[in-house]
Amino acid sequence: MGDILMIDNFEQLLKNKKVISKDDVLKIKKYIEIKFKNSSSKEQASVLSSTINDVIINSLKGIKNELKNELRIDILKNTFLINKNVIYFYDVFLVIISTNFKDKISIEEILQWINFSIDKTITEVELKIYLGIDVADITEKALAESVSAESTAIEETSATEIININNPTEKRIQFNNTKLYKIIGLSALIFLITGYSYKKINYFNSTLNKKNIKVESNKEISLEELNTYPGIPEYFRYREIKKDNLKNFLKEKNSLLMEEPYFSTILKTSKEFNLNPLILFSITGQEQNFVPKSEKNAKKIANNPFNVFHSWYEYNTNISDSSRIAARTVLNLCKDRPPKEDPFKWINKKYAEDKNWWKGVKGIYQKLDMIVKG
């Protein structure tokens, strides 16, 4: 029965094993501030970022090196970026088996990673059953092999003659139950795991229904009054804007973001996440002054004008990826906003180190809001 317990428990072992927590990050940050007290805040932040990255990379033993950085990014997206306080090995596991890496990481590598990560060992068959891969073939083969082995054992040596006390001339046969238990156990395992896999697959394939609630805007109501209710305020929700007005404003700023693919991608991302596009453009205004074309590294900065994952320099991706991360971050941070708390100020607590960041973003938003209305 040990194998059955293992297949049931390896997931829990991964869930109980920590990679790094936000408390750990704070401790590391304090240590860096002391050890590198003569360095600038930017240099300290770079050391902190590298340390966190190294910890996550070290949790990927058994996976080919060329994928580790890509995995690290997805792990952060699915944990710290959506406000989780701890990264567990199970979070890493979910990324490894995600559709993003389906054709990049083999079953052998996943198995190797699991057996590196936990103290016990699981087999390839167990992993495939868990993942719902070729379940029918695996279960039929496993059952056939077990039944065949049991039949052979019964025919040869698995029976014991027991004398009936009441009738010494009558003998009855008692079979060795160990292998029989294994057959029964395997059958139960197949039933349970197949059912679990079905639920698991349905869970990962399911999507949340998004409600796009439209309210009539009232120009007489201030933002402060609109912030009365908790969570994501209605004016943060997606709405159509006068694109030409916004483009003209960006043109005056000599902004690279008025061009493609940047402009359309930010609008597309905003619609996908049901987020007011002016929020994302306002963040680019505060972070990178809308990325002036005259800037030496303008094209690189435009890949990540929101400075997600610390900065465009450290995380140079593309506008689609960075805008999605920024949108997801804003919405996730807003979800816990208390009533009457300014959403820009609330986001500031975790989005930026500068305590006055929110004032700049809010001011830009209000200006853009007037422009797209006019």
Side-chain angles (χ1 to χ4, degrees), residues 160-178:
T160 303
E161 290 184 343
I162 299 179
I163 298 173
N164 189 328
I165 296 175
N166 297 323
N167 187 354
T169 60
E170 182 184 333
K171 296 179 181 179
R172 63 186 176 86
I173 295 178
Q174 175 176 299
F175 293 111
N176 185 333
N177 286 331
T178 304

Side-chain angles (χ1 to χ4, degrees), residues 256-269 281 299 302-303 318-320 323:
L256 185 58
L257 300 181
M258 68 165 286
E259 297 183 359
E260 299 301 340
Y262 313 107
F263 189 81
S264 294
T265 301
I266 294 174
L267 291 177
K268 182 181 177 183
T269 297
F281 278 106
K299 289 191 175 180
N303 287 332
N318 57 63
I319 189 62
S320 177
S323 62

